[in-house]
Amino acid sequence: MFKIQFRNAAGRMVTAQSFDRAKIQKLADKARQDVPDPSVCQLRVREVAADEITGDFIWVDCTADFTR
């Protein structure tokens, strides 16, 4: 499961979740195209992962994987 958050051209925060990595990549590409300034876009992608020690599910930042 992935969660993506970014600010659109109007300045509103957009949030989406999906199991489809390609869909998240498409949204990330569109976000960076629409608002090229990273400080304005505030793109953030997170993925659910299991903590090795506790076994809890946590959100892990994976933005770098989607900003080639």
Side-chain angles (χ1 to χ4, degrees), residues 22-48:
K23 182 184 277 187
I24 296 296
Q25 182 66 59
K26 187 176 179 180
L27 287 170
D29 292 343
K30 181 170 176 16
R32 292 186 332 180
Q33 180 181 8
D34 291 350
V35 184
D37 184 356
S39 66
V40 176
C41 182
Q42 299 177 357
L43 177 65
R44 184 174 183 188
V45 182
R46 293 177 286 168
E47 181 177 15
V48 171

Side-chain angles (χ1 to χ4, degrees), residues 5-15 31 35 40-42:
Q5 293 180 310
F6 59 91
R7 292 207 177 271
N8 64 14
R12 294 187 183 100
M13 183 61 76
V14 177
T15 302
V35 184
V40 176
C41 182
Q42 299 177 357

